[in-house]
Amino acid sequence: MMLSSCTLEEAKWNTEDVSLTMQVSAVSAGFIECRFTTSKDAYYLIDCVPVDKEVQPYAHQKQFMTLAIDSAYIDYLQWRYWLLEAGESYIAPFASHSLQYGDVDKIFTNLTPGSDYWVYAFVVNPETNKPAGRLYLQTVHTADSSLFDVHFDYRVRDVYDYIYPINDQDGSINYYFPYLAATRDSAWLADEIQKTPEDYFTDLFLAYSEFDLKEMVRYGVHVTKNDGYNSDEAFQEGHTYYTAITSYDGFMGHNVIYKFTWTGEDCNLYFTDEDNIVDLGQDD
């Protein structure tokens, strides 16, 4: 859930003589990382969509941009409806939730290997929700298979857990490699759904919808406070847990499950690939 305290009155914005720059900084089988900058403070829409040979974005710029705004607004209305139904008292406006502002690094995930995509951006008037200025668009081809060898180290300390995506080549942290993760109580797995951990997590990750993936995909070092409010689980002393982590670069590749027993506030555990109890999914 993304909420922003920014309002249109607080943020200065322009719609005239604003130029945009898009710089693709990383491409693999399932993701594209791009940096967006503007010459002036402005709200703008960005997206990454499969190339449609029947569409000519530059020949019909206004139509292309208007349809893109409409699509983003439909997504916003669905998100707003969900929050209102849940009883939220403050809902961020469309501009704060769906548009970008300032310099932005964006990672587009859930992409198909060996495919062409349009990465695009354009300035939007946040009062009228209409495009302002020209369309900026670049065609990017994803790799046939992942270009990164990454494994996942894992740490549990007090009620917090930490996931570290590590580059195999030099041991550095990879800050843009996408992955999914989940932690579940072993007693719940055994009593409630009666599945093995590997079967449960495989089913869980495969069942994520495109909307779920936008919310669930993680990058870089991820920290979770397992108190039941900021997480699915509230760690309980003496309980055993499974944490599954899977790469999400065009396919579910390097996967691990770590098993541990939480011993309370003094718990301090560290896991590496050698502690993996089972390999989820497939590596090809």
Side-chain angles (χ1 to χ4, degrees), residues 150-152 168 245-247 251-256 273 276 279-280 282-283:
V150 176
H151 66 272
F152 302 99
D168 291 345
I245 312 166
T246 176
S247 63
F251 57 90
M252 294 182 186
H254 188 94
N255 312 285
V256 293
D273 254 4
N276 182 19
D279 191 51
L280 283 170
Q282 301 177 351
D283 287 327

Side-chain angles (χ1 to χ4, degrees):
M1 184 170 65
M2 296 166 51
L3 296 177
S4 173
S5 60
C6 175
T7 67
L8 300 187
E9 289 74 25
E10 294 171 349
K12 297 179 180 179
W13 50 274
N14 300 274
T15 57
E16 295 184 1
D17 301 322
V18 181
S19 60
L20 274 161
T21 301
M22 300 190 304
Q23 181 178 1
V24 175
S25 51
V27 180
S28 193
F31 73 91
I32 298 170
E33 182 187 23
C34 188
R35 180 170 178 78
F36 300 85
T37 59
T38 56
S39 60
K40 297 180 181 180
D41 291 333
Y43 284 93
Y44 58 100
L45 181 68
I46 65 173
D47 204 354
C48 175
V49 297
V51 168
D52 186 344
K53 295 182 179 179
E54 301 298 321
V55 176
Q56 297 180 319
Y58 283 122
H60 308 283
Q61 287 194 38
K62 186 174 181 179
Q63 181 186 37
F64 184 89
M65 292 186 290
T66 300
L67 288 172
I69 294 174
D70 287 350
S71 177
Y73 197 74
I74 291 172
D75 290 342
Y76 168 75
L77 290 178
Q78 293 176 333
W79 171 83
R80 188 179 70 180
Y81 178 86
W82 176 73
L83 289 182
L84 288 172
E85 191 176 40
E88 289 291 335
S89 58
Y90 172 76
I91 309 296
F94 173 72
S96 294
H97 177 262
S98 303
L99 303 181
Q100 308 300 318
Y101 184 88
D103 297 346
V104 172
D105 286 298
K106 175 67 176 180
I107 303 173
F108 300 102
T109 57
N110 197 27
L111 307 183
T112 302
S115 301
D116 290 325
Y117 285 87
W118 284 325
V119 179
Y120 65 83
F122 57 88
V123 175
V124 177
N125 184 320
E127 289 183 341
T128 63
N129 290 338
K130 292 184 178 180
R134 55 162 291 210
L135 172 69
Y136 295 79
L137 182 145
Q138 183 173 344
T139 301
V140 182
H141 186 79
T142 56
D144 292 331
S145 59
S146 179
L147 302 180
F148 298 89
D149 294 320
V150 176
H151 66 272
F152 302 99
D153 287 358
Y154 182 67
R155 182 178 188 177
V156 179
R157 187 173 186 178
D158 195 356
V159 296
Y160 296 89
D161 67 349
Y162 306 77
I163 299 174
Y164 305 92
I166 307 296
N167 290 310
D168 291 345
Q169 185 175 8
D170 58 10
S172 61
I173 294 175
N174 191 312
Y175 287 98
Y176 47 78
F177 189 83
Y179 61 94
L180 304 169
T183 298
R184 294 293 185 268
D185 192 316
S186 62
W188 181 80
L189 289 175
D191 298 338
E192 297 295 327
I193 63 172
Q194 299 178 349
K195 283 187 177 182
T196 64
E198 54 267 35
D199 287 342
Y200 169 76
F201 286 118
T202 298
D203 292 345
L204 175 67
F205 293 144
L206 290 175
Y208 282 151
S209 68
E210 184 175 348
F211 176 79
D212 291 329
L213 290 170
K214 289 180 180 179
E215 303 294 321
M216 299 295 295
V217 173
R218 303 171 178 181
Y219 316 93
V221 178
H222 188 85
V223 184
T224 301
K225 184 178 183 181
N226 296 279
D227 56 3
Y229 296 99
N230 301 288
S231 62
D232 293 322
E233 295 287 347
F235 284 168
Q236 300 181 58
E237 190 169 351
H239 282 225
T240 298
Y241 296 89
Y242 294 97
T243 293
I245 312 166
T246 176
S247 63
Y248 194 62
D249 185 11
F251 57 90
M252 294 182 186
H254 188 94
N255 312 285
V256 293
I257 295 180
Y258 294 127
K259 179 182 180 181
F260 63 95
T261 299
W262 195 67
T263 57
E265 295 179 357
D266 63 343
C267 192
N268 191 357
L269 306 169
Y270 200 97
F271 302 90
T272 66
D273 254 4
E274 296 178 355
D275 303 301
N276 182 19
I277 67 169
V278 67
D279 191 51
L280 283 170
Q282 301 177 351
D283 287 327
D284 53 24

